[in-house]
């Protein structure tokens, strides 16, 4: 499969004529429990300390509409969704997210740090749900203007460690009773085989998109992982 190239400002203008220029778009990927949110926030703090304007967001979600879709997709009480419905909801959230949050921030020259993007959909729905990559990439091309991150950080950890960590975290949150803590356990109920396919999907993407996707070993301490990420960001984006 041919490597997808990130659209230039001119190419983006064909899809989105109101976007005159681009900032930088960095995404974080990996299994739940791999440390994505922790590392994304550490990077945001480091960049802001250097005077870099940063927008932090996430998928599914990021917008009022997207957060409602997120609740449907991730709540453990959601049942009966077909794999295609799940895929469509992911892209519905993403299309709104791109238009409402990501593109305006890039047009302002900001660095956008996003917790998950289309690579997650290819890994989870394409791989985990066995829908394949083709349908995901076609939907991304049609609904997202084939917008590609400038850099994707793929955090890789031991499968069992990541799953146990994610399940403990989400179960603790859902039992806390706090108003801002939500049940997001739906995917954690999947089998180990499902997550094995997801991880394989990520590794396949990393091999195919080797210029964009940088795999970071997340088995060390959070500070060690952050240091490795900072080196990649400085080298790749010259910030």
């Amino acid at each position: 499969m041919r490597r997808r190239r990130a659209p230039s400002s001119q190419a983006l203008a064909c899809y989105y004529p109101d976007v005159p220029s681009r900032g930088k778009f960095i995404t974080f990927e990996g299994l739940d429990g791999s440390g994505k949110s922790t590392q994304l926030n550490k990077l945001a703090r480091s960049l802001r300390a250097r005077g870099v304007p940063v927008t932090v967001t996430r998928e599914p979600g990021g917008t009022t509409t997207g957060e409602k879709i997120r609740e449907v997709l991730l709540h453990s009480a959601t049942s009966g969704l077909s794999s295609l419905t799940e895929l469509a909801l992911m892209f519905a959230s993403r299309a709104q997210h791109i238009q409402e949050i990501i593109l305006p921030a890039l047009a302002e020259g900001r660095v956008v740090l996003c917790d998950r993007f289309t690579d997650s959909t290819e890994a989870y729905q394409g791989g985990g749900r066995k829908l394949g990559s083709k349908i995901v990439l076609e939907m991304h091309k049609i609904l997202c203007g084939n917008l590609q991150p400038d850099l994707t950080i793929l955090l890789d950890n031991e499968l069992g460690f990541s799953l146990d960590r994610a399940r403990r975290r989400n179960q603790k949150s859902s039992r806390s009773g706090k108003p801002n803590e939500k049940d997001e356990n739906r995917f954690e109920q999947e089998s180990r085989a499902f997550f094995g396919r997801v991880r394989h999907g990520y590794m396949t993407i990393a091999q195919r998109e080797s210029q964009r996707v940088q795999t970071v070993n997340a088995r060390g301490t959070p500070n060690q992982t952050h240091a490795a990420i900072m080196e990649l960001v400085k080298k790749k984006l010259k910030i």
Side-chain angles (χ1 to χ4, degrees), residues 68-121:
K68 293 176 181 178
I69 295 173
R70 180 186 179 93
E71 185 170 358
V72 172
L73 283 166
L74 302 188
H75 199 287
S76 61
T78 297
S79 61
L81 282 185
S82 75
S83 298
L84 289 173
T85 300
E86 188 177 276
L87 176 68
L89 287 172
M90 289 289 184
F91 272 106
S93 174
R94 181 165 301 125
Q96 184 66 25
H97 191 209
I98 289 172
Q99 289 284 356
E100 188 175 332
I101 303 294
I102 297 175
L103 288 180
L106 292 176
E108 293 174 3
R110 301 177 68 83
V111 172
V112 177
L113 303 182
C114 189
D115 188 339
R116 299 197 181 283
F117 196 56
T118 299
D119 292 326
S120 280
T121 307

Side-chain angles (χ1 to χ4, degrees), residues 184-204:
E184 295 189 345
N185 292 311
R186 180 168 168 265
F187 278 92
E188 277 68 28
Q189 297 172 355
E190 294 293 341
S191 67
R192 187 183 181 92
F194 171 86
F195 287 104
R197 293 194 297 273
V198 173
R199 185 176 181 276
H200 177 74
Y202 272 129
M203 295 300 105
T204 300

Side-chain angles (χ1 to χ4, degrees), residues 39-56:
Q39 292 303 325
L40 185 150
N41 289 318
K42 286 174 80 70
L43 177 60
R45 288 193 295 270
S46 294
L47 294 177
R48 285 168 177 156
R50 290 165 170 80
V52 177
V54 174
T55 294
V56 172

Side-chain angles (χ1 to χ4, degrees), residues 113-181:
L113 303 182
C114 189
D115 188 339
R116 299 197 181 283
F117 196 56
T118 299
D119 292 326
S120 280
T121 307
E122 187 176 351
Y124 276 78
Q125 282 70 52
R129 300 291 188 213
K130 301 182 181 179
L131 292 177
S133 295
K134 183 178 179 180
I135 187 173
V136 177
L137 299 181
E138 283 298 314
M139 290 185 72
H140 182 74
K141 182 178 179 180
I142 294 168
L143 297 177
C144 305
N146 207 30
L147 176 67
Q148 300 296 325
D150 296 283
L151 174 65
T152 295
I153 304 294
L154 173 58
L155 295 178
D156 188 36
N157 208 327
E158 294 178 4
L159 180 60
F161 177 85
S162 293
L163 293 183
D164 289 343
R165 183 174 183 269
R167 286 167 177 159
R168 288 196 305 269
R169 178 196 63 204
N170 288 343
Q171 288 168 3
K172 180 180 178 181
S173 295
S174 62
R175 291 195 303 263
S176 70
K178 296 180 181 179
N180 62 336
E181 298 290 355

